[in-house]
Amino acid sequence: MSYQLLTVQSETSIVKTLDDKKLYIPFDPDNTDFQEYLEWLAEGNQPLPAD
Amino acid sequence: MSKIKVNRLENTSTANGGIDIDTSGHVQVDGLQMPTAGALSNRNLIINGAMQVAQRGTSQTGAGYGSIDRFSLSLSGATATMSQESFTLGQTDVPGADKYLKLDVSTGNNNSGIFYKIEAQNVYHVINNTVTLSYYAKGTSPTNGLKVGIMWYDGSNPSTRVTESVTLTNSWVKYTHTFTVPSISGITLTNSAAFLEVSMTQDNGDTGTAAYEVNLAQVQLEVGSKATPFEHESYGQTLAKCQKYFYRKLAFNAQPVWLYSDTAGSTQIHFPTEMRANPTFSYSGTLATDINIYYGPSAAYRSFSGLGGSAASRQSARIDVTGISPAVTAGYSLGLYVFNNAYLDFDAEL
């Protein structure tokens, strides 16, 4: 499992890759995938930079 | 004011039916329980309690959401299959039901089972109240019984969980549980992640690996101390409610994509109902095989390498097509085609 930032035309989202499947997660505090991402960050992890 | 004190009102020619009043003042009409609290309609706090909607598919072995909408599988180290099953139409074991949920646990573990999360803002009216959970079930229970309960969770803190234990049999039986809703002391229910959880699980203290099977139909949670008849609704009504949390966009043709460069473009997907949160986007299918882009000026499909969601609201999402090859002309448009069994998913589940 990995996280990577994705910026397209000034819009940034988070791409979570899990078992070869990509999940595009918005920066929305109500989104549970984003909440999981924040918990992952709080554990000291860092996403891969945008390509 | 005068009162008529009776336990029963019925026609002189009938042996049953009429109106029954129990010692608590609760009323049955022609054998059907009337609500003891709350409204007469929209009573069921469970969406898809009839198990009819299964946007993701009819079977899952992975944890989380994967088959019947709104019902989540907890594995917690267990091995299990959760699936949507069909009754023979007209059967009388569970009157009026055509679908049910089957949880087939081949290797059990504690906390394995079925979870259902209700958005807190939709159940503020049950705070300090009594609720009744009813359902039909059959099967086999974990060694310590199937633990059926409710609790609050605000994203960080749980309330106490109130539970009752059920021992299932090999016949369909209607079960009811009346719970005093747990205290919300120390819980922040205004959090977007807050929910009321209904669970049917192997006990937390039971780490046995014995197999068990739960077949479940017509789940209803309602305010009050009595279970009223299951509230049927149309498939379309239930689907619309489910799509607030998850929307699978199936095959479609010629969705316009505006090309903002010679190798990339974007399109807008509008959801059929406003979602609970800005959703997570994913897709299934192979790009340039199951999901294609058609470029009119060349009258041919183009190859491309990326399909991603870069911006979303609760009402729509922008999807970007990237890595188009050979290059096209910026400012033109493409047609986006999703073929075969491919689909686009938008997930805003709790």
Side-chain angles (χ1 to χ4, degrees), chain A residues 8-9 24 28 30-31 33, chain B residues 192 276 278 280-281 314:
Chain A
V8 177
Q9 284 200 310
Y24 295 83
D28 178 3
D30 291 347
N31 180 297
D33 292 314
Chain B
S192 63
R276 185 193 66 83
N278 296 3
T280 297
F281 168 72
R314 295 175 184 213

Side-chain angles (χ1 to χ4, degrees), chain A residues 28-37, chain B residues 193 276-277 347-350:
Chain A
D28 178 3
D30 291 347
N31 180 297
T32 51
D33 292 314
F34 183 67
Q35 291 164 1
E36 283 181 17
Y37 170 70
Chain B
R276 185 193 66 83
D347 190 335
E349 291 282 6
L350 281 163

Side-chain angles (χ1 to χ4, degrees), chain B residues 95-168:
Chain B
D98 73 314
K99 301 290 184 191
Y100 64 95
L101 180 155
K102 179 178 181 180
L103 174 63
D104 184 0
V105 180
S106 54
T107 306
N109 208 339
N110 62 339
N111 301 311
S112 61
I114 303 161
F115 284 83
Y116 188 99
K117 297 174 182 175
I118 306 171
E119 240 179 296
Q121 66 172 347
N122 290 341
V123 282
Y124 288 157
H125 61 299
V126 310
I127 296 171
N128 300 325
N129 218 323
T130 297
V131 293
T132 297
L133 178 69
S134 60
Y135 55 89
Y136 281 86
K138 73 170 186 176
T140 54
S141 297
T143 305
N144 289 358
L146 184 69
K147 296 296 177 186
V148 178
I150 60 171
M151 64 169 273
W152 295 105
Y153 186 70
D154 70 0
S156 302
N157 305 299
S159 70
T160 56
R161 184 190 298 275
V162 291
T163 63
E164 293 187 358
S165 188
V166 172
T167 301
L168 301 177

Side-chain angles (χ1 to χ4, degrees), chain A residues 4-23:
Chain A
Q4 183 174 23
L5 299 178
L6 172 70
T7 300
V8 177
Q9 284 200 310
S10 76
E11 295 285 353
T12 301
S13 59
I14 305 147
V15 183
K16 178 181 181 180
T17 302
L18 184 66
D19 298 333
D20 293 330
K21 184 168 187 174
K22 291 184 185 300
L23 304 176

